[in-house]
Amino acid sequence: MEQLMPQVNLNVNGSDEQVDAPDDMPLLWALRDLMGLTGSKYGCGIGQCGACTVHLNGAPVRSCLLPVGQVAGQAITTIEGLADGGSLHALQEAWIEKDVAQCGYCQSGQIMSAAALLQSNPEPTDEDIDAAMAGNYCRCGTYIRIRDAIHAAAMSIEVAGAAK
């Protein structure tokens, strides 16, 4: 007799989705393999590198460690959902402007951690940035450009906010 896979309700990038997944499947695999959202990357599988970072209710989390059963019904935002419609997020624009990415593998996790930082601290110091980004590793070593891009995005967001 064929065993049916349980359905899990996920709210991803503002859309309610049902996925056929066991409760203990890592969120990363549900996002990538079941939903086709491949922006979040598998790096280490133990939550140390940050390549799989997404937001859960606005906070950065490592999706390789989170079972889908624990996040059902909560707000999940991936790199694909960071942009506002057709407009890139200020961080995505700054990443391009500052030519941050080299291989690019870690960049979605870097951007998601940076977005959470700017949400909670719109004017971060270098020390704030270093602390918030400490769990995101870049094998290419673009940390200085990452910090510059975060500062540029913060300034861009500040200017846009002042213009409203």
Side-chain angles (χ1 to χ4, degrees):
M1 184 154 127
E2 185 179 328
Q3 197 165 6
L4 295 175
M5 189 71 67
Q7 288 200 326
V8 178
N9 296 315
L10 299 176
N11 181 288
V12 180
N13 300 328
S15 178
D16 289 323
E17 306 285 339
Q18 285 192 338
V19 295
D20 295 330
D23 283 345
D24 63 348
M25 174 184 273
L27 175 60
L28 178 63
W29 300 132
L31 294 170
R32 291 182 58 79
D33 296 345
L34 303 179
M35 299 179 71
L37 299 172
T38 57
S40 301
K41 306 296 187 212
Y42 175 81
C44 67
I46 59 172
Q48 296 296 305
C49 73
C52 67
T53 302
V54 299
H55 292 177
L56 181 63
N57 301 320
V61 296
R62 305 299 192 246
S63 63
C64 71
L65 296 176
L66 281 174
V68 293
Q70 288 184 8
V71 300
Q74 298 182 59
I76 300 161
T77 306
T78 67
I79 189 73
E80 291 90 350
L82 193 61
D84 185 19
S87 300
L88 292 177
H89 186 278
L91 279 162
Q92 293 167 314
E93 290 178 353
W95 242 249
I96 294 166
E97 175 189 320
K98 299 294 182 180
D99 198 24
V100 173
Q102 285 187 25
C103 82
Y105 197 82
C106 69
Q107 297 309 303
S108 61
Q110 299 276 1
I111 290 171
M112 295 305 289
S113 290
L117 167 65
L118 292 181
Q119 186 68 35
S120 65
N121 181 356
E123 296 180 29
T125 64
D126 285 350
E127 293 77 21
D128 296 332
I129 292 170
D130 292 348
M133 303 301 290
N136 291 83
Y137 296 106
C138 174
R139 291 193 57 133
C140 300
T142 64
Y143 298 110
I144 301 301
R145 286 186 280 181
I146 289 169
R147 189 189 298 149
D148 289 346
I150 293 170
H151 282 302
M155 193 168 304
S156 173
I157 292 169
E158 183 179 321
V159 168
K164 287 185 180 182

